[in-house]
Amino acid sequence: KFRDQFADGPAALRADVAARAWERVAPFAHTLKGRAGLLGMGEISTLAGRLEAAAHAGDFARADSLRAAEEAVLTAGRSVPT
């Protein structure tokens, strides 16, 4: 269910961070942080929280770095329930 909900997340997030579309990045990261936290996926929740803060600050370099780290975790399937 988690994978289904965020299946398009990495590609959409990559595009939104590149476009500096903070009004989309921040709420996505906030939702991901909460859902991941509820499911006990601490690494993803922490990265999403930091990404949310970077989006609110408009910090492209930090947001892009966190987005890449989060995508690597999601792609590798670590801590991601089916």
Side-chain angles (χ1 to χ4, degrees):
K1 204 168 190 184
F2 180 88
R3 284 184 198 227
D4 293 340
Q5 182 178 8
F6 293 101
D8 296 331
L13 189 58
R14 188 179 319 114
D16 287 345
V17 169
R20 292 166 170 78
W22 308 126
E23 73 283 356
R24 289 191 300 270
V25 174
F28 177 88
H30 179 81
T31 300
L32 180 60
K33 175 182 72 175
R35 299 277 162 78
L38 286 172
L39 294 171
M41 300 183 312
E43 185 177 14
I44 293 172
S45 183
T46 298
L47 288 168
R50 291 177 182 164
L51 176 59
E52 181 185 10
H56 284 300
D59 185 340
F60 173 77
R62 189 166 49 124
D64 194 48
S65 174
L66 289 162
R67 187 245 357 122
E70 193 168 88
E71 187 173 335
V73 171
L74 288 168
T75 300
R78 295 194 320 250
S79 306
V80 180
T82 55

